[in-house]
Amino acid sequence: KRHSALIQHSRDHHHALKLARLARFAADSGSPEAIEQASRTIAEAFPRAPEPHFQEEEAGLLPRLAAVGQNELVERTRDEHARLRELNHTLTADPTDAAAISAFAALLHDHVRFEERELFEIAQNLLYPEG
């Protein structure tokens, strides 16, 4: 069960996983048209989600975790956010980039799993021990 301070972050992950699934299906199809359509959908959606989610974590949650010594988790999270932004930029510039959409799909999926299973668990235990 998530602490109330983390519930919206977890809810945001549903949308992120939908984008990851869209990207994975397009990449797996090998269809240039499917890849281009998925890339355009991702580029259009990215500023609404996941970008605001990243910004909220970077402004609130991550500094608090850094303050209690969780620097490795914070750096991993920031690095993955930066890589996802770069991949989105690549897909925006070249919506037919099959390697980029495949990398985006894998990283976004894995990033959500990392946050749910590690980052949020540690945040909950250290920042919200009252439950």
Side-chain angles (χ1 to χ4, degrees):
K1 185 176 176 187
R2 287 280 171 247
H3 185 275
S4 60
L6 297 172
I7 288 175
Q8 187 56 50
H9 289 292
S10 283
R11 287 183 183 149
D12 291 346
H13 285 158
H14 173 73
H15 301 292
L17 288 173
K18 285 174 64 175
L19 280 183
R21 187 173 60 237
L22 171 72
R24 170 58 43 223
F25 287 152
D28 288 349
S29 78
S31 162
E33 294 82 13
I35 292 167
E36 183 172 0
Q37 180 58 45
S39 295
R40 292 189 190 287
T41 299
I42 290 164
E44 183 179 306
F46 201 90
R48 293 188 311 274
E51 183 60 37
H53 173 87
F54 294 170
Q55 290 177 13
E56 288 176 23
E57 288 178 345
E58 290 165 359
L61 181 62
L62 298 182
R64 293 187 66 207
L65 283 169
V68 295
Q70 294 299 312
N71 297 319
E72 284 184 36
L73 284 177
V74 169
E75 287 306 310
R76 176 178 173 182
T77 305
R78 289 182 193 276
D79 178 60
E80 289 180 7
H81 288 178
R83 289 177 25 220
L84 285 161
R85 288 175 174 127
E86 289 170 14
L87 286 166
N88 178 60
H89 179 73
T90 299
L91 292 173
T92 300
D94 180 5
T96 63
D97 190 328
I101 202 162
S102 182
F104 181 87
L107 181 56
L108 186 56
H109 175 271
D110 292 349
H111 178 70
V112 168
R113 295 296 180 226
F114 156 70
E115 285 194 351
E116 287 293 332
R117 294 177 181 163
E118 294 180 52
L119 185 74
F120 290 178
E121 287 297 315
I122 290 170
Q124 191 157 299
N125 290 333
L126 293 176
L127 304 177
Y128 311 105
E130 71 280 3

